[in-house]
Amino acid sequence: MKKLKIATLFFLTLLIVPLIAACSSTAQPYNSKEKIGPQINYTVTGIDAGAGIMASTQNALKDYGLEKKNWQLQTSSTAAMTSTLDKAIKDKRPIVITGWQPHWMFTKFPIKFLKDPKNVYGKEESIHTIVRQGLKSDMPEAYTILDRFHWNPTQMSAVMLKVNNGMDPQKAAKQWIKANPDRVNEWTKGVKKVHGKSIKMTYVAWDSEIASTNVVAQVLRDQGYKVTIQAMEQQPMWASVATKAADAQVSAWLPKTSGLFYKDYKGKFVDLGANLHGAKVGLAVPKYMTNINSIDDLKNK
Ligand code: PBE
């Protein structure tokens, strides 16, 4: 019995020691005098595999010659990424993340976008509203509201922040609608009320899309619609509108981030144009990584 315990302990030690060693190589504070790659095991901390920013980052690793140097993109989730970022910043450790705006990560953490001289991520993006074909004639009231729906990054961030602080998204949407009657009135002015007609929206559970989808859904409810919203991966979301299984989505980041899906399903949906201007996507690092300012610096510094 005792022997068994000692043996177990011995093997556990064998397992744990290299684990600790592996961790400690990334647990050091950022050192601007050493190359950045080895300090973070050549890893970019990413989010869910289906996100456009993940595809763009794979392209960036190729185009900037980072893939050849064994840089890799780690898949996780927005929640896991922001929690890893939070811990890294508390210890002043180096980290490179996939970052985008609007998002509370840029208000909550001292981070900056890396310059993208090869323009892999594109400059500014807009978020578009995409509806199914035939919606205009089937549900003209909803179509008008969806067509008019637009807001700005500050307004979207306000809803996101409430949800990030733990509020239920539908409640956050209701509060925002109540506080912004003028903006909402721009979308609904003169539109006839309906009585319990069903409409379905699909979305991906990214913070920004949780905010926008819940606000639009609530405005449509206030108009008299019976609205269901369903979260799913990005590809099925596009397919749902293309096949008319869903009526609308407000989650198309263009021209680049959702660009592949836009191209794949072109002709099978109606693009109602931008509902938000001034979005941005790229790689980001904490501001204390003062000598890392461009994606090129990941290779050279
Ligand atoms: N995002 C947020 C998404 C779009 C919205 C930037 C994480 C993406 O596809 O990358």
Side-chain angles (χ1 to χ4, degrees):
M1 193 62 188
K2 204 168 185 184
K3 256 193 190 152
L4 190 75
K5 270 192 188 156
I6 291 172
T8 317
L9 261 177
F10 176 71
F11 282 114
L12 270 179
T13 315
L14 275 186
L15 275 172
I16 287 168
V17 167
L19 253 181
I20 293 173
C23 290
S24 66
S25 71
T26 55
Q28 300 295 324
Y30 175 59
N31 182 350
S32 62
K33 294 190 184 73
E34 275 177 28
K35 287 201 108 189
I36 173 66
Q39 293 187 61
I40 55 173
N41 292 328
Y42 302 91
T43 301
V44 173
T45 304
I47 57 167
D48 51 294
I53 198 172
M54 295 294 279
S56 299
T57 302
Q58 294 291 6
N59 291 337
L61 294 185
K62 275 193 209 94
D63 293 359
Y64 285 88
L66 289 159
E67 202 184 54
K68 277 196 305 239
K69 305 257 168 180
N70 291 325
W71 278 78
Q72 51 178 348
L73 173 61
Q74 191 177 54
T75 305
S76 67
S77 65
T78 307
M81 181 192 79
T82 46
S83 131
T84 308
L85 176 65
D86 189 16
K87 288 184 196 129
I89 286 181
K90 285 200 171 107
D91 300 337
K92 287 247 156 59
R93 277 184 280 120
I95 184 168
V96 180
I97 60 152
T98 54
W100 64 94
Q101 250 173 347
H103 195 274
W104 49 262
M105 68 177 103
F106 276 88
T107 21
K108 213 161 168 176
F109 304 118
I111 55 174
K112 61 183 180 188
F113 273 117
L114 295 183
K115 290 204 183 73
D116 173 22
K118 294 190 197 290
N119 201 30
V120 173
Y121 293 92
K123 301 221 156 54
E124 228 190 62
E125 295 220 298
S126 296
I127 308 178
H128 285 222
T129 300
I130 306 288
V131 302
R132 70 162 169 87
Q133 289 185 333
L135 188 76
K136 189 175 185 173
S137 49
D138 297 346
M139 301 187 203
E141 296 85 4
Y143 180 93
T144 301
I145 292 172
L146 286 158
D147 194 21
R148 290 179 182 170
F149 166 60
H150 71 284
W151 57 351
N152 61 42
T154 314
Q155 294 171 319
M156 181 186 243
S157 298
V159 180
M160 260 193 275
L161 207 61
K162 284 182 203 278
V163 177
N164 179 239
N165 287 334
M167 193 183 284
D168 168 70
Q170 188 175 349
K171 188 172 174 199
K174 281 185 183 162
Q175 282 194 358
W176 186 88
I177 289 167
K178 212 168 165 196
N180 294 271
D182 294 346
R183 186 32 68 101
V184 175
N185 193 39
E186 287 174 26
W187 315 334
T188 56
K189 206 174 164 190
V191 179
K192 276 203 304 256
K193 294 269 180 198
V194 300
H195 302 283
K197 212 166 179 189
S198 292
I199 185 164
K200 179 170 175 175
M201 295 180 69
T202 48
Y203 68 109
V204 187
W206 296 308
D207 299 300
S208 39
E209 280 52 47
I210 291 172
S212 53
T213 307
N214 272 278
V215 165
V216 174
Q218 192 53 42
V219 169
L220 290 171
R221 276 185 203 112
D222 294 344
Q223 198 68 24
Y225 282 96
K226 192 173 156 285
V227 188
T228 47
I229 64 171
Q230 192 182 356
M232 51 186 64
E233 295 283 319
Q234 178 160 221
Q235 193 273 328
M237 173 187 75
W238 281 89
S240 69
V241 174
T243 59
K244 305 185 181 178
D247 298 294
Q249 55 107 332
V250 292
S251 317
W253 286 50
L254 296 166
K256 289 228 174 173
T257 307
S258 312
L260 278 180
F261 298 101
Y262 193 90
K263 227 174 90 197
D264 277 358
Y265 289 100
K266 192 136 203 189
K268 300 194 178 114
F269 59 78
V270 182
D271 179 0
L272 295 185
N275 60 55
L276 180 143
H277 291 291
K280 191 172 160 54
V281 170
L283 292 182
V285 301
K287 285 182 178 161
Y288 52 75
M289 292 169 69
T290 43
N291 62 338
I292 306 294
N293 293 302
S294 158
I295 303 177
D296 275 323
D297 294 339
L298 297 179
K299 199 169 71 183
N300 304 328
K301 288 193 176 161

